[in-house]
Amino acid sequence: MKVLSIRDWFTAADRVVAWQGQQQHWLSEMRQQVQALANKLRSQPGQHWALCFDNSYHFTAALLALWYAGKTPVIPGHCRAAQLEEMAEHLDGVISDMPLAISLPQIRWDGALALGELPAIDECAELVLFTSGSTGTPRRVVKSLRALDLEAQWLAALWGQRLQQCHVIASVSHQHLYGLTFRIVLPMALSLPLAAQQIFYSEQLADQRRDRRYLFISSPAFLRRLDTSLITPLCALVVSAGGALPWPDAQRAQAALHCVVDEIYGSTETGVIGWRHADAEQALWRCFPDVTLREQEAGRWRVFSALLETEAGWPLDDRILQQPTGEFQLAGRQDRVVKIEDKRVSLSEIERRLLALSGVEDAAALAIQRHGRHAIGVVLALPDIPDAVTLSQYKKQWKSALQPWLEPVAMPRYWRVVTSIPVTAQSKRAWPQIEELFDVAG
């Protein structure tokens, strides 16, 4: 399949680029909307404009308009007014298709059309993403058009034949790099129509037209809760990223979607690193071409990739078990270490011990500060929430089971029980929401 550079998307023959329900959007329409918005942006001061969109077609047009206007798109990863205000020092304005009560300059999407010649996109054009990581502190990540184009080429080389005549649907947001790359850049580069609206529920997936082949961009969180009693449309390819998909969930998804899930390993900072075909419980990961994993010191790995703007590589937070063939397994995150009463405590080790407890489906550990002192707080995911008496009995059993393994300072002091641990749209731990569970004393 021919892979178009972002700078050449509008050189393709007119086609349907997106749909929402019965409404279709054509490339010629998008070009005129990009022209109108770019004209408006050129008269605006400031360089960095945030994109906050519900509709992926509007988002794509606004993204292109910023580049054609010589501006830098910023993708904040969320569309909450309070957090946009906190980022004000990084932004000159916001473009959105939703109402936002913010003090920043704001341009509302109106779908206006204009004719004219679009200038070439600058060779040094880039975009900025903000990712919170595990600390909750926003991290600024810059991506060049070169890297976005190259990533699309790699994905096309891997899946090109399977993607012919596909329509692209997604359960992940375009406000993160995974969604941006897979549900926006890839279909535009391959001239595939994309769904303007995100899929949130299994029923929405089942409602897709049956006379189409689909590329479904999803996440472990969505596939885990997939309603297998519903009849889903034909998927030529199902992609999952944001975390490893547990084998039982991969099997259930394959049975429901009649397609083996392909998983992607990567991050906002690195782009795609590797992939695997989830057709076996211990399926190995393979690096994409021009990606190399190197162990720098015991247990610490670094990725070197043509997608990075530096030859120094990027450190990984994951533990890697590399095979002689170069394929690898993921062996969990590097230990997160905190100081409790001047002793180093591994939160990862606590989580591993919690997951070994009977009935515990998931676990998260963190340091909680109360009255100037730190202690360990844990959140456990159980199938059902027990009553107060049963929960008290459980805690005694859990503490007894943990005592042989954990030092006294590492023993959890604060306990919270939920049916599922909060995660982001990308299936990563939602640490701010997890911390909020401890706002009430207990």
Side-chain angles (χ1 to χ4, degrees), residues 24 52 118 141 172 267 339 412:
Q24 294 184 327
C52 292
L118 287 169
V141 180
V172 298
S267 70
K339 282 286 189 74

Side-chain angles (χ1 to χ4, degrees), residues 15-138:
R15 64 178 181 87
V16 173
V17 292
W19 82 95
Q20 182 176 356
Q22 299 301 314
Q23 183 181 17
Q24 294 184 327
H25 298 285
W26 290 74
L27 186 66
S28 54
E29 173 194 0
M30 176 186 276
R31 190 193 182 287
Q32 293 179 56
Q33 290 173 329
V34 168
Q35 179 78 65
L37 185 53
N39 291 345
K40 184 181 295 187
L41 283 164
R42 288 191 194 97
S43 65
Q44 298 291 324
Q47 181 67 22
H48 293 84
W49 286 74
L51 295 170
C52 292
F53 282 85
D54 174 62
N55 184 294
S56 291
Y57 169 75
H58 299 165
F59 172 90
T60 307
L63 176 70
L64 288 167
L66 282 167
W67 278 325
Y68 278 110
K71 308 287 187 179
T72 301
V74 178
I75 303 178
H78 58 79
C79 295
R80 294 185 291 274
Q83 288 183 284
L84 288 170
E85 294 286 6
E86 288 181 352
M87 295 176 60
E89 63 180 295
H90 302 287
L91 302 174
D92 297 301
V94 178
I95 312 175
S96 178
D97 64 354
M98 62 187 75
L100 292 171
I102 55 176
S103 60
L104 287 159
Q106 185 177 175
I107 294 177
R108 287 290 298 275
W109 171 266
D110 60 8
L113 304 174
L115 298 174
E117 291 296 321
L118 287 169
I121 297 177
D122 192 289
E123 288 290 329
C124 298
E126 59 191 20
L127 63 81
V128 176
L129 301 105
F130 279 88
T131 176
S132 61
S134 59
T135 64
T137 302

Side-chain angles (χ1 to χ4, degrees), residues 139 248 326 345 411 424:
R139 177 185 292 161
V345 174
M411 286 292 293
T424 68

Side-chain angles (χ1 to χ4, degrees), residues 30 44 87 120 132 167 191 225 227 340 384:
M30 176 186 276
Q44 298 291 324
M87 295 176 60
S132 61
H167 285 63
S191 298
R225 62 175 186 267
D227 186 345
I340 304 291
D384 301 292

Side-chain angles (χ1 to χ4, degrees), residues 78-374:
H78 58 79
C79 295
R80 294 185 291 274
Q83 288 183 284
L84 288 170
E85 294 286 6
E86 288 181 352
M87 295 176 60
E89 63 180 295
H90 302 287
L91 302 174
D92 297 301
V94 178
I95 312 175
S96 178
D97 64 354
M98 62 187 75
L100 292 171
I102 55 176
S103 60
L104 287 159
Q106 185 177 175
I107 294 177
R108 287 290 298 275
W109 171 266
D110 60 8
L113 304 174
L115 298 174
E117 291 296 321
L118 287 169
I121 297 177
D122 192 289
E123 288 290 329
C124 298
E126 59 191 20
L127 63 81
V128 176
L129 301 105
F130 279 88
T131 176
S132 61
S134 59
T135 64
T137 302
R139 177 185 292 161
R140 185 175 184 270
V141 180
V142 178
K143 292 288 176 180
S144 66
L145 263 66
R146 177 202 66 82
L148 294 173
D149 282 340
L150 183 58
E151 198 164 32
Q153 291 171 20
W154 289 1
L155 298 174
L158 177 63
W159 295 319
Q161 294 303 312
R162 295 170 65 183
L163 297 182
Q164 291 190 18
Q165 307 302 314
C166 275
H167 285 63
V168 181
I169 55 178
S171 67
V172 298
S173 170
H174 54 235
Q175 298 283 153
H176 300 270
L177 183 64
Y178 172 44
L180 170 67
T181 298
F182 284 77
R183 70 177 283 194
I184 305 294
V185 178
L186 182 61
M188 290 295 292
L190 297 181
S191 298
L192 303 176
L194 61 94
Q197 288 301 120
Q198 181 176 342
I199 290 173
F200 293 97
Y201 307 107
S202 297
E203 291 81 1
Q204 293 172 301
L205 178 61
D207 283 343
Q208 300 299 313
R209 284 174 48 171
R210 292 293 193 272
D211 58 345
R212 294 172 175 171
R213 300 171 70 247
Y214 293 98
L215 161 58
F216 181 32
I217 308 301
S218 193
S219 68
F222 186 93
L223 296 176
R224 188 179 300 124
R225 62 175 186 267
L226 186 66
D227 186 345
T228 56
S229 68
L230 298 174
I231 299 175
T232 57
L234 175 62
C235 291
L237 177 64
V238 178
V239 182
S240 175
L245 182 65
W247 174 238
D249 297 323
Q251 289 178 300
R252 288 180 63 254
Q254 178 182 343
L257 300 170
H258 307 289
C259 179
V260 177
V261 178
D262 279 35
E263 294 183 78
I264 291 290
Y265 171 53
S267 70
T268 303
E269 294 83 1
T270 65
V272 297
I273 294 173
W275 68 279
R276 71 174 180 179
H277 199 52
D279 57 357
E281 184 168 4
Q282 297 296 330
L284 295 174
W285 297 87
R286 303 175 185 176
C287 284
F288 280 91
D290 295 327
V291 174
T292 304
L293 299 177
R294 296 178 192 165
E295 190 172 15
Q296 301 293 288
E297 52 186 88
R300 296 285 176 174
W301 290 78
R302 202 170 188 90
V303 59
F304 296 84
S305 170
L307 297 178
L308 295 171
E309 305 301 329
T310 172
E311 295 182 359
W314 188 265
L316 295 178
D317 292 327
D318 297 294
R319 291 179 293 148
I320 303 292
L321 297 178
Q322 196 169 51
Q323 309 297 312
T325 59
E327 297 171 313
F328 62 96
Q329 290 179 328
L330 296 175
R333 305 284 283 181
Q334 295 288 353
D335 283 350
R336 295 176 292 122
V337 177
V338 296
K339 282 286 189 74
I340 304 291
E341 297 182 10
D342 295 325
K343 289 192 175 182
R344 290 167 59 86
V345 174
S346 168
L347 298 177
S348 298
E349 174 65 14
I350 294 173
E351 290 173 352
R352 283 194 288 272
R353 299 304 178 186
L354 291 169
L355 287 171
L357 299 174
S358 177
V360 174
E361 296 181 342
D362 200 0
L366 63 164
I368 301 296
Q369 185 174 4
R370 294 264 176 87
H371 310 298
R373 300 185 64 181
H374 286 88

